[in-house]
Amino acid sequence: DQQVKQNSPSLSVQEGRISILNCDYTNSMFDYFLWYKKYPAEGPTFLISISSIKDKNEDGRFTVFLNKSAKHLSLHIVPSQPGDSAVYFCAASATEYGNKLVFGAGTILRVKS
Amino acid sequence: EAQVTQNPRYLITVTGKKLTVTCSQNMNHEYMSWYRQDPGLGLRQIYYSMNVEVTDKGDVPEGYKVSRKEKRNFPLILESPSPNQTSLYFCASSPISWSRGAYEQYFGPGTRLTVT
């Protein structure tokens, strides 16, 4: 039973356009959400996070939106660059679960130049 | 440089031959964890440790062992590997969070294991 779902296995976007990666979760206990980026032959690296008390968090070209009522979050990348091509993982955690992260299956983003 | 290191990066072995994948971090983090990544399943937690001599099972612990004798090291042991343990393995570390959800975890570069 996957508590964190990334329903799009892959996404292809033209350079300069917006990339939108989506993530849904089922566990209402989750109160902190993270996005990780992973290049081939490397480990995942932290990208951006959001607490459940917020609905938006921005960091440069990256913005994460959280819709608690829909149990949905999305990562927006504007403008997309070829170097953004990677696998993006959504992860969730809950204060009650300590330091455990629950990951989605990942979305492969390809940014075409 | 703050980092998590894993060795080996690639390993091909045969069923039943015991192996150890090492993990070390230089950030003085209390929390360490092992994950496996499989297509369509994302990263699933195998074992984790909250501090020295404190370890616990994650979501997929069967067939694995860990130890935490020193704060910086967290080896993953496969006593009798089987083909279904062929996977990409990641070690991660972070500070302990007591008052909120997990802190951002730092990941090692991964170990690709093939069991034939």
Side-chain angles (χ1 to χ4, degrees):
Chain A
D1 176 32
Q2 286 198 302
Q3 300 183 70
V4 178
K5 299 179 184 178
Q6 294 176 257
N7 292 318
S8 298
S10 64
L11 175 67
S12 186
V13 172
Q14 197 68 33
E15 180 179 7
R17 306 295 289 266
I18 184 171
S19 295
I20 300 176
L21 295 95
N22 293 303
C23 178
D24 297 295
Y25 61 96
T26 57
N27 190 336
S28 57
M29 300 286 282
F30 290 144
D31 56 11
Y32 195 71
F33 304 89
L34 307 90
W35 285 94
Y36 279 82
K37 180 167 73 173
K38 184 186 176 307
Y39 292 120
E42 295 183 13
T45 55
F46 169 72
L47 189 58
I48 192 170
S49 62
I50 187 166
S51 165
S52 61
I53 63 173
K54 296 185 174 181
D55 54 20
K56 177 182 173 182
N57 188 28
E58 271 184 274
D59 184 1
R61 295 186 297 114
F62 303 90
T63 302
V64 57
F65 295 91
L66 175 62
N67 183 334
K68 286 194 297 281
S69 61
K71 294 192 177 68
H72 176 83
L73 63 155
S74 60
L75 174 68
H76 293 211
I77 307 173
V78 184
S80 301
Q81 299 173 354
D84 295 329
S85 298
V87 179
Y88 289 79
F89 290 101
C90 172
S93 68
T95 304
E96 287 78 4
Y97 301 156
N99 293 263
K100 182 183 177 69
L101 289 179
V102 180
F103 285 86
T107 296
I108 301 170
L109 174 65
R110 295 187 185 90
V111 180
K112 299 175 290 186
S113 55
Chain B
E1 179 192 355
Q3 61 181 350
V4 178
T5 57
Q6 293 178 228
N7 282 291
R9 294 290 312 277
Y10 302 91
L11 180 59
I12 301 174
T13 189
V14 296
T15 299
K17 186 176 181 181
K18 181 179 179 180
L19 66 92
T20 299
V21 183
T22 65
C23 171
S24 183
Q25 51 94 4
N26 62 1
M27 295 167 279
N28 202 35
H29 287 163
E30 296 87 359
Y31 186 85
M32 297 187 75
S33 180
W34 276 102
Y35 297 88
R36 60 178 288 174
Q37 183 192 350
D38 301 289
L41 297 175
L43 290 93
R44 293 179 293 166
Q45 189 180 54
I46 302 170
Y47 268 92
Y48 66 96
S49 170
M50 300 284 278
N51 214 325
V52 176
E53 302 292 1
V54 180
T55 63
D56 209 344
K57 296 177 181 179
D59 298 317
V60 288
E62 293 77 21
Y64 305 95
K65 285 175 58 177
V66 292
S67 69
R68 187 93 181 270
K69 293 182 170 51
E70 303 165 288
K71 195 171 187 179
R72 63 183 294 122
N73 296 324
F74 190 45
L76 179 70
I77 303 154
L78 284 73
E79 297 253 345
S80 182
S82 61
N84 65 11
Q85 293 178 297
T86 293
S87 187
L88 180 58
Y89 291 86
F90 291 101
C91 180
S93 74
S94 74
I96 284 280
S97 169
W98 296 111
S99 60
R100 45 159 270 192
Y103 279 108
E104 299 79 23
Q105 293 180 12
Y106 293 78
F107 283 80
T111 296
R112 184 163 295 279
L113 172 66
T114 302
V115 184
T116 61

